[in-house]
Amino acid sequence: MTENFNTYMTRVDADMWRELCLRNGKLRHFERGEEFIRIGEVGRYIGYIKSGTLKYVAYSSDGMEHVVGLEFTGEFVTDFPFSLYGQKARISIIASSPCDIYCLPVNLVTELMATDPRIAESVIKSTRELFSTLYDRYISMYTESAQQRYNHIVTHYPDLFELFPLKDIASYLNITPTHLSRLRKNDENLG
């Protein structure tokens, strides 16, 4: 990615989290379509993505999949902070491509939170920064048109279209794949 898609990454102690995952986590492989976390279950890991991409998915009452988040190589994946507090996931996190992820057990992090003030403070700050990123996205859904949201992605994250299927990008933008195709076609005609 040319910029951090998940802007919270620039405002947390990513080095501390990465080191914790690399030192205490176990490298696991996930095939495309495999769940890292399943809706209705408590997440067991905080992961550092060595390679691959994942999508956060919520389901509507009719079972339709809605992509609500995306993760990339060099970022973290978890149901944060809910897994730390034993709460069941409201989303599933699914590998969009084959992934290698250093999986740090959540129970180790909760133990460290009780004994290491640096870890406890990092959890608080990470929660705050993740909320800020997600809140900005939420506001964007109400204040920007589909065209504006698309333009933002194309301008800032042009390689997103190489990493995820169009249907996932359309879902993330909260538009239909047909609408996304029209936006892309219009973009090509202008260029």
Side-chain angles (χ1 to χ4, degrees):
M1 301 297 307
T2 53
E3 284 184 44
N4 277 341
F5 185 83
N6 295 304
T7 55
Y8 70 88
M9 287 287 297
T10 62
R11 299 184 309 261
V12 300
D13 189 351
D15 291 337
M16 189 255 345
W17 284 110
R18 184 181 309 105
E19 180 60 32
L20 203 55
C21 289
L22 294 175
R23 186 172 8 115
N24 299 305
K26 179 181 177 187
L27 186 61
R28 293 187 55 210
H29 181 76
F30 293 82
E31 288 296 333
R32 183 177 188 268
E34 191 174 348
E35 291 177 314
F36 180 79
I37 291 178
R38 176 175 290 148
I39 193 169
E41 296 179 3
V42 176
R44 296 177 26 217
Y45 302 106
I46 293 175
Y48 173 71
I49 306 166
K50 178 181 177 187
S51 64
T53 56
L54 298 102
K55 61 184 177 178
Y56 287 64
V57 176
Y59 298 93
S60 55
S61 60
D62 63 1
M64 187 170 167
E65 179 180 289
H66 300 273
V67 177
V68 297
L70 304 170
E71 293 289 354
F72 307 87
T73 298
E75 293 187 341
F76 301 94
V77 58
T78 190
D79 186 31
F80 194 87
F82 307 110
S83 57
L84 292 174
Y85 303 110
Q87 296 177 4
K88 293 179 180 178
R90 299 173 194 132
I91 47 85
S92 289
I93 304 174
I94 303 168
S96 296
S97 67
C99 296
D100 289 316
I101 302 172
Y102 286 95
C103 297
L104 174 68
V106 167
N107 62 352
L108 177 59
V109 177
T110 57
E111 288 171 17
L112 290 171
M113 285 171 57
T115 59
D116 186 337
R118 183 173 159 231
I119 301 292
E121 179 59 33
S122 190
V123 167
I124 292 167
K125 183 173 184 177
S126 297
T127 302
R128 184 177 57 241
E129 296 304 337
L130 180 60
F131 175 81
S132 179
T133 294
L134 295 176
Y135 196 58
D136 288 344
R137 289 180 185 168
Y138 175 76
I139 291 168
S140 164
M141 285 294 187
Y142 287 93
T143 61
E144 295 177 356
S145 68
Q147 180 72 57
Q148 289 170 312
R149 295 191 310 272
Y150 168 78
N151 289 346
H152 179 79
I153 281 183
V154 169
T155 301
H156 297 281
Y157 318 107
D159 50 350
L160 194 67
F161 292 92
E162 298 167 17
L163 298 172
F164 290 93
L166 289 180
K167 72 174 185 59
D168 288 347
I169 296 170
S171 180
Y172 177 79
L173 290 170
N174 202 23
I175 59 177
T176 66
T178 303
H179 192 174
L180 178 57
S181 293
R182 276 192 225 114
L183 292 172
R184 292 187 79 200
K185 186 172 176 72
N186 289 341
D187 200 29
E188 290 169 5
N189 290 337
L190 294 174

